[in-house]
Amino acid sequence: MGYQIPREAADQLFGWLAEHYEILAPKVFAGEGCFSDTDVTRYGTVRSLSEIEFDKKSDYSFKEALLPVNETLFYFTEDQETVPAAPGKKRLVFLRSCDLHALKRLDAIYLENGREDFYYKRLREHVLFVLIGCPESCDTGFCVSMGTSQTGDYDLYLKISEETVWADCKSEELKAFFGRLPDGTCAETAVSPEAPSENKETVTLPPSFSEDILSNPVWESYGSRCIGCGRCNFVCPTCTCFTMQDIHYRDNAKAGERRRVWASCQVDGYTDVAGGGSFRKTQSDRLRFKVLHKICDFEKRFGFQMCVGCGRCEAVCPEYISYISLINTLVKEDA
Amino acid sequence: MSLDINTKKAKKNAYRISKVRGVGASRIRVPGGYLKAEILGMVQKIAETYGNGIVHLTTRQGFEIEGIRLEDMDAINQMLQPIIELLDINQTDKNGGYPASGTRNVSACIGNNVCPFANYNTAEFAKRLEKAIFPNDLHFKVALTGCPNDCAKVRLHDFGIIGMTMPQYDPARCVACKACIKGCKSLSVDALRMENHKIVRDEEKCIGCGVCVTKCPTRAFTRSKKKYYRLSIMGRTGKRNPRLGKDFLVWADEDSVVKIILNTYRFVKEYIDPNAPGGKEHIGYIIDRVGFEEYKKWALDGVELLPETIVNQCVYWDGIHYD
Ligand code: HEM
Ligand code: HEM
Ligand code: SF4
Ligand code: SF4
Ligand code: SF4
Ligand code: SF4
Ligand code: SF4
């Protein structure tokens, strides 16, 4: 159902939602960028519409709304384990089309890849998704190429201006909130999400690659520039890897907790195994593994590409390693 | 041709009396070394109209237009006017050129306008200081640098201002990648270690350089909202006792730094050797004579330091002694 609402009424509606849900949305964290006097846009709890960054794609993806950077799986004492309670409030998560497509990848990994993940599932079941439109393509995204520029899989779509808010609400649960608006403030109208028809960048993936790409010199040429910082993984909405940490509390080593924490296949330690072995030692090997996971290996297992073309990895790399150029070189040379 | 020049006045007016009789140089101050490119064209025009077409880039980030004839000073002052206005330099007489030269140009490294390591906008702070301290005939040298790399070599100045940030750590965002630990060890002072998969920062050791913040891939380490400064004092080069400046304040705020410098002008007025040649005596030598305790009293007068600011109660300098 589409609505047109004056901004003031929409702000009031948002207030009701904020009471009922924990609302997670892209937000500008002033001064918290890498460099002094620079900002970062990442997810955080918001209480009003004006806190949400609607114009710029977030530097870090929405995934932390479902996969906390650090998540305690259980606490242990000498003879017991305790699983922490699930968050009390339901969540509303604001995100763009590419990220909503990424959700399908997270679901594939955590729900459809063998046993369902208890922690992911209990969060996921209580999340509603609010789509932010993209009237124009962002700078580095190639969602059109990856088929992720449009989606209908949202619970709510919101577009805002200073005076007016347009909404398309698919969720019955959320429709009830629109019903509470005073008469005359909520005009029904057709609203459909804004989506870009083209991007500045294009990536055309072949149905499959040949084995030859494994020895393509591209891995070495880009890998030798990679510093293994992991930013490309941490910003990616489809990277799902975690590692385990067991913590024994300092003043009582018999009590502690087990956490799972985001991991990056580009950072030292990822392929370390008991006995001191390590499988992918060079950044070239790691880069090859990551890129092929994104555009080849995942697809072999699940039938759709892992990468949604959000372009965040491209934008964040401090060494200007262009994921897009790398893939395009690979595609060209394998043709 | 007879030439009647008041050299004291000319020097105060920022002209140099050169080794060639009748010929001088015009000195242009550029706070923070930060200027609109159009000023370069204006400097060129003066150099080609009144000078010998050569400009020297001074060690304090100003321009020195060579080969000007001392009788052209008034005309040159007219041409300096738009430069003075564009750089927003305090002036007493419009079209009269620079009203003083004792307090030198406030110099600075490029700072966070460009440099990824910088902890603040050095040009802006340089301008604030210039507005606060200029014009003054007392010989003060102030320099600013964006981070402890000290590219501006501020420890060779009376006042050296070094940018700091107090790293803010959010354990909930930390993925234990150790990039901060490695960065702090290889580029800075090795103040970080890991305990139970989380970072522990040795607060005594940390110099607030911000390397950990730039290295962190998840924004677990971020900069403090407040900007902090290390204030190094009384560094100097020169004949008798060249030496590096020593830390007076660590984790100080901008207002306190400005206030202390202004207080130092009052201290110098009180204690400067009345017979000092040209009314110039380096502040450091005055403090050597009067004693650091007395200086500290004057410097901190009315200054409200942040609770986290560390004041070095006794400062001793070493350096090379030729005297
Ligand atoms: C040739 C012999 C073995 C090889 C090559 C091997 C290899 C590995 C590797 C690669 C991992 C994953 C490590 C990681 O992701 O950090 C692992 C985990 C594990 N292995 Fe082995 N393993 C061997 C023998 C054993 C034996 C004999 C046992 C038990 C009796 C064992 C128990 C485990 C357990 C419990 C884990 C999971 C540890 C955890 O989740 O923290 N492994 N092993
Ligand atoms: C009894 C023998 C072995 C055992 C028990 C074992 C066990 C494991 C386990 C548990 C993992 C982790 C899988 C995961 O994290 O999903 C692993 C990964 C791996 N193993 Fe083995 N392994 C064995 C032999 C070998 C051998 C002989 C090789 C190589 C010649 C090898 C190469 C690898 C590699 C490259 C990985 C990482 C794969 C990846 O990260 O996708 N393993 N192995
Ligand atoms: S690999 Fe890069 S472009 Fe693809 S989904 Fe991840 S961050 Fe986005
Ligand atoms: S690219 Fe690396 S970090 Fe990301 S999901 Fe794949 S293996 Fe994990
Ligand atoms: S962001 Fe760039 S440098 Fe860092 S790990 Fe990824 S590819 Fe390498
Ligand atoms: S700010 Fe402190 S902890 Fe961080 S790198 Fe510099 S010295 Fe190390
Ligand atoms: S760099 Fe950041 S994420 Fe990595 S260990 Fe340090 S604080 Fe944690």
Side-chain angles (χ1 to χ4, degrees):
Chain A
M1 185 74 74
Y3 307 103
Q4 181 174 338
I5 313 161
R7 177 66 189 259
E8 221 169 283
D11 283 331
Q12 191 186 18
L13 181 126
F14 199 89
W16 299 330
L17 291 173
E19 273 168 36
H20 202 78
Y21 300 94
E22 181 177 4
I23 305 179
L24 293 155
K27 209 168 130 171
V28 175
F29 288 76
E32 295 191 15
C34 258
F35 311 115
S36 63
D37 295 334
T38 62
D39 307 334
V40 65
T41 308
R42 61 171 179 84
Y43 275 69
T45 302
V46 296
R47 287 172 209 296
S48 66
L49 263 182
S50 54
E51 279 177 83
I52 301 175
E53 172 60 71
F54 272 92
D55 298 332
K56 205 179 135 271
K57 183 179 70 192
S58 62
D59 300 310
Y60 290 78
S61 84
F62 81 106
K63 76 178 168 195
E64 58 197 81
L66 287 170
L67 294 169
V69 183
N70 281 259
E71 183 165 30
T72 299
L73 301 185
F74 54 84
Y75 298 94
F76 57 85
T77 52
E78 278 171 71
D79 49 10
Q80 304 183 22
E81 298 96 42
T82 315
V83 174
K89 265 189 175 179
K90 294 182 83 171
R91 293 184 175 184
L92 275 191
V93 176
F94 279 67
L95 76 188
R96 294 173 187 279
S97 177
C98 55
D99 279 357
L100 199 45
H101 281 272
L103 177 68
K104 187 174 161 197
R105 280 73 178 163
L106 302 189
D107 286 351
I109 290 287
Y110 281 97
L111 302 176
E112 293 142 29
N113 184 31
R115 244 205 285 181
E116 284 178 343
D117 183 86
F118 168 81
Y119 297 92
Y120 180 81
K121 191 173 179 208
R122 69 177 190 175
L123 258 182
R124 170 76 170 91
E125 280 174 346
H126 297 106
V127 181
L128 293 176
F129 294 94
V130 186
L131 182 70
I132 301 173
C134 301
E136 275 166 43
S137 172
C138 60
D139 218 33
T140 55
F142 48 99
C143 53
V144 175
S145 300
M146 300 309 287
T148 59
S149 58
Q150 295 182 3
T151 176
D153 286 342
Y154 50 84
D155 296 297
L156 178 65
Y157 164 72
L158 273 192
K159 173 182 155 73
I160 71 162
S161 76
E162 300 265 306
E163 302 83 29
T164 313
V165 168
W166 295 267
D168 184 35
C169 187
K170 296 192 175 183
S171 138
E172 292 304 323
E173 188 179 322
L174 293 176
K175 273 182 195 160
F177 288 90
F178 287 86
R180 280 164 64 181
L181 284 170
D183 284 345
T185 53
C186 188
E188 286 189 17
T189 172
V191 174
S192 58
E194 290 178 314
S197 53
E198 55 178 5
N199 304 118
K200 295 173 198 172
E201 302 292 345
T202 314
V203 169
T204 312
L205 291 178
S208 69
F209 286 100
S210 76
E211 291 266 315
D212 298 346
I213 54 164
L214 292 175
S215 53
N216 193 297
V218 78
W219 307 120
E220 177 52 30
S221 68
Y222 281 101
S224 62
R225 288 161 52 189
C226 173
I227 57 170
C229 67
R231 281 173 173 79
C232 49
N233 298 127
F234 298 131
V235 299
C236 176
T238 65
C239 273
T240 49
C241 284
F242 59 79
T243 186
M244 289 295 185
Q245 295 176 352
D246 282 346
I247 286 92
H248 297 263
Y249 297 141
R250 269 216 291 180
D251 37 2
N252 178 7
K254 288 178 178 169
E257 65 189 79
R258 172 168 288 188
R259 295 184 197 131
R260 68 179 179 196
V261 179
W262 284 6
S264 154
C265 55
Q266 310 304 293
V267 170
D268 285 349
Y270 181 89
T271 60
D272 290 359
V273 292
S278 179
F279 294 105
R280 291 183 291 273
K281 291 195 180 70
T282 65
Q283 289 307 137
S284 313
D285 283 353
R286 297 173 187 180
L287 210 61
R288 182 197 65 223
F289 173 81
K290 176 192 72 181
V291 172
L292 294 185
H293 191 200
K294 294 293 171 193
I295 60 165
C296 183
D297 297 329
F298 181 98
E299 195 268 343
K300 281 186 199 155
R301 185 184 296 196
F302 293 101
F304 51 93
Q305 293 295 358
M306 186 180 205
C307 175
V308 292
C310 72
R312 287 189 178 92
C313 55
E314 166 92 22
V316 80
C317 179
E319 300 303 314
Y320 287 80
I321 290 172
S322 167
Y323 174 74
I324 295 167
S325 308
L326 192 162
I327 297 177
N328 285 338
T329 308
L330 210 59
V331 171
K332 204 168 82 202
E333 293 187 4
D334 199 44
Chain B
M1 196 182 83
S2 92
L3 206 51
D4 182 1
I5 303 284
N6 180 339
T7 57
K8 283 201 180 67
K9 217 176 126 212
K11 285 181 196 167
K12 186 172 152 67
N13 203 194
Y15 287 93
R16 192 196 287 277
I17 309 299
S18 85
K19 61 179 198 181
V20 180
R21 196 158 180 86
V23 175
S26 163
R27 289 192 290 155
I28 294 171
R29 54 197 300 127
V30 183
Y34 209 70
L35 76 170
K36 280 209 172 120
E38 64 175 310
I39 291 173
L40 296 176
M42 298 175 179
V43 172
Q44 177 185 9
K45 193 137 182 247
I46 301 175
E48 287 170 359
T49 313
Y50 291 107
N52 61 8
I54 296 288
V55 176
H56 177 236
L57 298 176
T58 74
T59 51
R60 299 206 64 83
Q61 299 180 326
F63 300 107
E64 183 153 337
I65 302 174
E66 271 189 28
I68 60 137
R69 300 161 57 83
L70 294 174
E71 65 262 35
D72 291 333
M73 286 189 296
D74 287 341
I76 292 168
N77 281 347
Q78 301 272 341
M79 287 185 81
L80 287 173
Q81 191 59 28
I83 300 180
I84 289 170
E85 281 170 17
L86 269 170
L87 291 171
D88 195 22
I89 305 292
N90 293 336
Q91 211 181 10
T92 37
D93 299 314
K94 203 175 163 168
N95 294 319
Y98 294 98
S101 64
T103 288
R104 299 297 201 244
N105 187 40
V106 179
S107 53
C109 76
I110 185 83
N112 82 359
N113 280 310
V114 173
C115 178
F117 291 114
N119 287 318
Y120 67 107
N121 188 320
T122 50
E124 261 173 31
F125 196 174
K127 279 183 185 149
R128 173 174 177 192
L129 275 167
E130 167 80 14
K131 288 305 267 184
I133 64 179
F134 188 81
N136 201 301
D137 293 331
L138 293 174
H139 197 233
F140 271 54
K141 288 176 176 162
V142 182
L144 302 98
T145 204
C147 81
N149 278 346
D150 193 6
C151 297
K153 301 178 172 43
V154 303
R155 284 191 190 275
L156 295 173
H157 298 249
D158 300 319
F159 292 98
I161 298 160
I162 302 170
M164 302 173 81
T165 190
M166 185 91 76
Q168 305 292 303
Y169 178 62
D170 178 0
R173 293 196 73 75
C174 175
V175 298
C177 70
K178 300 200 183 116
C180 54
I181 299 184
K182 291 177 192 164
C184 187
K185 188 177 162 115
S186 61
L187 298 171
S188 196
V189 298
D190 198 7
L192 299 176
R193 63 176 195 280
M194 193 160 269
E195 253 175 43
N196 258 342
H197 304 287
K198 295 292 173 205
I199 300 296
V200 179
R201 182 172 63 98
D202 183 338
E203 293 177 16
E204 308 261 305
K205 232 177 159 190
C206 169
I207 56 166
C209 64
V211 162
C212 49
V213 177
T214 54
K215 294 287 172 197
C216 180
T218 61
R219 310 325 301 131
F221 261 128
T222 53
R223 285 189 165 69
S224 49
K225 293 269 176 288
K226 272 191 235 163
K227 295 201 163 82
Y228 293 97
Y229 305 90
R230 180 182 297 267
L231 181 63
S232 153
I233 57 167
M234 305 308 139
R236 63 189 172 210
T237 54
K239 296 193 181 79
R240 264 188 279 166
N241 168 217
R243 65 191 190 188
L244 287 181
K246 286 284 175 81
D247 291 351
F248 179 25
L249 304 183
V250 189
W251 306 110
D253 61 307
E254 191 174 317
D255 289 350
S256 297
V257 169
V258 175
K259 234 175 188 170
I260 286 169
I261 296 175
L262 288 172
N263 280 345
T264 306
Y265 277 91
R266 297 198 296 124
F267 167 83
V268 171
K269 246 181 231 147
E270 176 77 13
Y271 285 112
I272 193 167
D273 177 356
N275 302 318
K280 271 195 216 166
E281 188 183 19
H282 269 114
I283 322 164
Y285 290 107
I286 304 174
I287 297 177
D288 292 349
R289 201 173 61 237
V290 177
F292 179 72
E293 279 303 314
E294 181 65 11
Y295 170 67
K296 192 172 69 185
K297 216 172 70 194
W298 286 73
L300 294 179
D301 182 42
V303 176
E304 283 170 43
L305 294 171
L306 300 172
E308 58 269 39
T309 303
I310 297 167
V311 182
N312 282 327
Q313 298 296 341
C314 298
V315 179
Y316 301 102
W317 292 269
D318 35 30
I320 306 165
H321 276 278
Y322 295 108
D323 51 351

